Amino acid sequence: MSEDAPTIPGNGIRTFVALLVNTAVANVSTSFMWFGLTFWIYIETRNVLSTALIGAALMLFVALTSMFFGTLVDRYRKKPVMAWGTGIALVIFVADAVFFFAVGADAIADLSRPWFWIFAVVMLAGAVIEQLRSIAMSTAVTLLVPDARHANANGAVGAVEGLSMLVTSVLSGLAIGFLGMGWTLVIGISAVAIAFCHLLLLRIDEPRIVRTEGDAAPTGWVDLRGGWRAVRAADGLLFLIFFSMLNNFIGGVYMALMDPYGLDLMNVQTWGVAFALASTGFIVGGVIVSRTGLGRNPTRTMLMLAMAMGVLGMVFTLREWAWLYVAGTWLYMALIPAVEAAEQTVIQRVVPYRQQGRVFGFARMFEAAAAPVTSLMIGPLAEFLVIPYMRTDAGQAKWAWLLGEGDSRGIALIFVVGGFLAVVLALGAMLMPQYRSIVRQYARAAPPAHS
């Protein structure tokens, strides 16, 4: 265990739970408004490009700002960083709401005028700044939770993220459908304000930030060099981050094509309910990790589950059966929290506490960019090459033995190939010497048995 590891306060677990609840409210509120924006503009314009652009822009800006956020987390105490992030996001959301009501919904919904893009970019800024909390939350696990329970705590964080996905996908649609964008903003901003006030009242015992000369001290406001050095200092950690990035590239296939495939199988209302049901897998997976942990070797657990996700990707669209697709999606989502928690658990042990913000920012910078890049690449590939090919007699005859017959066999073929690549990637990773290096590093960094 790192020599600068913080002393866990006696009320650490209780404080962590309170902070987790606060984070859940803040995340749900922000996602509620962001999903609401996406639903509202599509309903108003039926323009798929606009929704695709704002979705990709969010992930792109998360990637671009992650290193800056990670440096802030290492430079200052965690509660002030989270409070400032939430407070600034709240101010931005309020300003955007004022702009919305001043300009009017009809003018903003007109994509030929600049008002929608101003409105969307300002909300994007608030949503991106709120992402600062996720990096601070990962380091707060090290601050407040004993090492032996890091995996459990990370699983709980994953369950909260799943809850946010489920709640916002349902509530945002209902709010936009019955109340409109204006009231969606009012409700979301009110909830963010409640979370901000609660965070100000929450007491977190954390050590004073000691600024010393050397690698542990951030240099500049975007300390990319410090993040790189911290990653390289932990033997095998770069391999772990690189694997997660490649795995996210493959995950971009599912990001791009899951909704189109679901909408090919069922109508939009049924798919909305089915996706909400499948999203509960994310919550269940997080709860299981929070109760059972990840075992003595989280890296091995991560790679084994990545292989299982690849296998699911290969089989859940082999036939155009809605029940098979929904069940496979549920299982796929149930595995995601464990895979993400494994990486966080390893970083929390092998990286010194004062450098964890930059390492989490470094990892998020690459991993957040991976899936949108693949998503933007796979869309045209599917639309103009694979799907038309699989609708020809030659394509159907060649692949019917595996994929059966139907209108969506092109998407199914892409899922099968993507799943196969995920299995090969995970198997190859387990054979690499860097895998054994990070396993040894994790074992060496374990705290004494009595602590």
Side-chain angles (χ1 to χ4, degrees):
M1 191 71 172
S2 173
E3 63 181 9
D4 78 332
T7 301
I8 305 300
N11 65 341
I13 296 294
R14 185 168 67 246
T15 303
F16 170 75
V17 171
L19 189 60
L20 187 63
V21 172
N22 182 275
T23 299
V25 174
N27 285 354
V28 167
S29 306
T30 301
S31 298
F32 174 75
M33 289 184 284
W34 184 256
F35 272 78
L37 170 65
T38 304
F39 294 159
W40 176 72
I41 195 58
Y42 182 74
I43 291 172
E44 292 292 324
T45 67
R46 298 295 173 178
N47 188 305
V48 176
L49 181 59
S50 63
T51 59
L53 286 176
I54 61 177
L58 175 62
M59 296 305 296
L60 176 62
F61 278 95
V62 168
L64 292 175
T65 57
S66 290
M67 200 65 239
F68 170 62
F69 290 163
T71 304
L72 287 180
V73 169
D74 281 347
R75 187 181 287 272
Y76 301 105
R77 294 184 180 183
K78 308 305 173 269
K79 177 186 171 179
V81 167
M82 298 178 81
W84 275 104
T86 305
I88 293 173
L90 177 60
V91 171
I92 291 174
F93 289 141
V94 169
D96 209 27
V98 171
F99 177 80
F100 178 87
F101 288 113
V103 175
D106 292 339
I108 290 178
D110 184 355
L111 296 183
S112 65
R113 305 171 69 180
W115 311 128
F116 167 73
W117 301 107
I118 295 173
F119 177 64
V121 168
V122 174
M123 184 171 290
L124 170 68
V128 169
I129 290 175
E130 184 62 28
Q131 295 294 316
L132 174 61
R133 290 183 64 116
S134 64
I135 295 177
M137 192 68 190
S138 294
T139 63
V141 171
T142 309
L143 175 68
L144 299 171
V145 180
D147 178 88
R149 299 189 64 183
H150 280 178
N152 307 81
N154 292 323
V157 173
V160 164
E161 292 176 356
L163 177 65
S164 175
M165 179 190 303
L166 173 63
V167 170
T168 54
S169 63
V170 175
L171 294 187
S172 295
L174 293 175
I176 293 297
F178 291 107
L179 301 176
M181 190 65 205
W183 276 107
T184 298
L185 289 171
V186 171
I187 295 170
I189 290 171
S190 299
V192 173
I194 292 172
F196 176 61
C197 293
H198 174 258
L199 182 60
L200 293 179
L201 298 175
L202 186 62
R203 179 179 177 182
I204 301 177
D205 295 325
E206 51 185 319
R208 182 173 62 90
I209 299 295
V210 179
R211 292 183 172 84
T212 60
E213 296 296 329
D215 291 342
T219 57
W221 291 102
V222 182
D223 190 12
L224 184 60
R225 179 178 296 180
W228 170 255
R229 288 176 175 173
V231 169
R232 295 293 292 155
D235 193 18
L237 183 56
L238 184 61
F239 152 82
L240 187 67
I241 293 174
F242 190 64
F243 171 82
S244 296
M245 182 188 71
L246 291 179
N247 199 47
N248 280 7
F249 269 121
I250 297 173
V253 173
Y254 300 94
M255 177 188 293
L257 300 178
M258 285 188 78
D259 283 336
Y261 189 85
L263 291 171
D264 280 349
L265 295 183
M266 56 197 88
N267 61 42
V268 63
Q269 295 90 344
T270 305
W271 170 239
V273 174
F275 185 76
L277 176 64
S279 297
T280 62
F282 208 112
I283 301 173
V284 172
V287 171
I288 291 174
V289 176
S290 72
R291 292 182 176 273
T292 64
L294 294 165
R296 298 178 62 181
N297 186 350
T299 306
R300 182 177 183 274
T301 301
M302 175 184 182
L303 297 180
M304 294 293 292
L305 293 179
M307 278 190 279
M309 292 170 72
V311 172
L312 284 170
M314 293 174 65
V315 302
F316 74 159
T317 59
L318 289 181
R319 294 294 183 274
E320 290 189 2
W321 299 336
W323 68 266
L324 176 64
Y325 186 58
V326 174
T329 303
W330 189 94
L331 290 171
Y332 185 90
M333 290 191 174
L335 298 179
I336 293 176
V339 172
E340 294 180 348
E343 181 188 20
Q344 294 168 353
T345 301
V346 172
I347 292 175
Q348 286 156 354
R349 177 180 288 186
V350 304
V351 176
Y353 175 67
R354 286 179 294 175
Q355 297 173 295
Q356 287 184 9
R358 280 164 288 174
V359 171
F360 280 116
F362 183 90
R364 182 176 288 262
M365 178 174 60
F366 291 100
E367 294 165 13
V373 169
T374 309
S375 181
L376 291 174
M377 291 172 56
I378 204 68
L381 178 66
E383 182 69 23
F384 299 115
L385 292 177
V386 181
I387 293 176
Y389 166 71
M390 288 300 294
R391 287 177 177 169
T392 64
D393 293 339
Q396 293 176 10
K398 184 173 183 178
W399 293 100
W401 66 272
L402 176 65
L403 302 174
E405 298 178 352
D407 296 329
S408 301
R409 298 302 80 204
I411 296 178
L413 179 61
I414 295 174
F415 279 150
V416 170
V417 173
F420 177 76
L421 291 176
V423 172
V424 171
L425 175 65
L427 278 173
M430 294 189 74
L431 299 176
M432 296 180 68
Q434 291 85 351
Y435 163 71
R436 295 186 290 274
S437 296
I438 191 61
V439 171
R440 288 193 298 267
Q441 180 83 351
Y442 182 80
R444 284 197 302 266
H450 64 273
S451 63

